[in-house]
Each structure stands twice: as C-alpha cells, then as structure tokens.
Amino acid sequence: MCRFGIDEAGKGPVLGPMIAACVCVPDESVLPEGIDDSKRLTPAKRGRLSEALLGDEAIGIGIAAVSPDRIDTPETDMNSLTVAAHAEAASEVVEPGMTGICDAGDVDAGRFVHRVGQRLPEGVSLSGEHGADEHHAIVGAASVVAKVERDRRVAALEAAYGEVGSGYPSDPTTREFLAEYVAENGELPECARASWKTSADALAAVEQGTLAEF
C-alpha cells in the first residue's frame, strides 16, 4: 500500500508564496539516498534530490501554492492556510486506503492532523508530528520538494525585480528591496505579503518621509 508524506516551505517570508508538497511512494525504498529535512541540506543537494524525486515515475508528487493575496485575506490565518495547503497538495496524489504522515504546522499536532485529514479522501489514514521532516524520510522528501519549488519561485522574483534576498523579514537584502521598491513606486510589489509587519514598516517609512517634506 502506498505511503505519503506532506510538508510545506515558506510560512514566514514576507515575499512570495507558501508551498506545500506531498510525496507518495509504493515503498520508501524507492526514495533517493540522502533525504533529510530540507533545512539541513545544501541548495545543491536539495536540487539534486528534488530532481530525482520528480523524475521517478514510481513516485507521485503533488504541489500546492498559497499566494500572497490569499495569505493577506483577512478572513483566514496561517494555520488554516497551512492546513489547506497540505490538503491541496495531497489531493493531487492521495487515494482512499493510503496512509501518510505530515509535519504538524500547529502547536497542537493532533488538531493539525485532524484538520488536514478532514479534507482528504475518505479512507485515508493520516498521522503527524512536529519535526516529522527530520525523523521520517517520506516527509523529508516532501520538505525537499517544497523548498526547491519555493526557491525556484523566489528566483523568478529576482528575474522580475532584481535582487530580493531570501524573502524572509530577517534578511537585510529583502528589507532593502521592499524599502526601495515602495520609495520608488509608492506601493508594495505584488509578491509582498501586505499583512506582514515588514511590509507595513516599509510603507510607513515612506509615508513618514513624505510628511517630513512638508
């Protein structure tokens, strides 16, 4: 019976989407060697592993993207969006009778698993835990696919806007990009999550600068 793992990348960045991935295998022995939590792998190794996973016809892979616009919707929150992303990625490859495990995206792992499981096909068995991408190769594989896809989309942003950094609020290059873009255009780029404090700070800085001119 096929087994699957689910994980996501990009919950915290101020730029770009959050990506969830589901990896489904007939047997975990088909997974390439070296799978681990994507954060513990170099970009080059993540890329090689993702390519191997995507290129193996025995492995089913589902990917879901949550756009900045969707993240900024007032009626939702990141926990709910993470639940939805896990379920959307899984729905592309998971069928009744399968069993799987996800990396719990909530402080209450049981609650997170229950919410994701409610959205999966009837007859699917799902478990989950914090740090599942470190302890279960099938979840680590999903972590790798999600992270590489997220990085690919950030690279596309750089092609469109110039250097944007990692997209995380702690990255000085990302903060500088936002500040300069807002100063020049008077608004945030479409790739920014407007509901993030980093975005609000960039807008406020320009507004204060404008007021100081009067």
Side-chain angles (χ1 to χ4, degrees), residues 16-148:
M18 175 173 65
I19 303 292
C22 178
V23 174
C24 181
V25 296
D27 186 281
E28 292 195 33
S29 64
V30 306
L31 292 171
E33 292 186 8
I35 291 289
D36 198 351
D37 172 8
S38 64
K39 296 185 291 296
R40 303 200 294 197
L41 300 171
T42 64
K45 188 164 186 179
R46 285 198 301 263
R48 290 194 296 271
L49 288 169
S50 180
E51 185 176 359
L53 289 162
L54 290 164
D56 191 332
E57 294 184 357
I59 300 175
I61 295 179
I63 295 175
V66 181
S67 68
D69 282 348
R70 188 175 172 190
I71 291 169
D72 289 333
T73 303
E75 294 77 19
T76 192
D77 58 78
M78 285 307 295
N79 279 349
S80 296
L81 289 170
T82 306
V83 166
H86 276 228
E88 289 165 16
S91 67
E92 296 188 7
V93 291
V94 170
E95 298 177 355
M98 291 184 178
T99 62
I101 182 169
C102 66
D103 189 50
D106 187 346
V107 293
D108 186 329
R111 175 175 61 195
F112 185 82
V113 170
H114 177 71
R115 293 179 71 190
V116 176
Q118 286 183 312
R119 295 169 176 250
L120 300 182
E122 189 173 350
V124 172
S125 176
L126 180 69
S127 62
E129 62 187 63
H130 299 124
D133 49 356
E134 298 179 16
H135 305 121
H136 301 273
I138 190 66
V139 184
S143 170
V144 167
V145 172
K147 175 60 174 170
V148 171

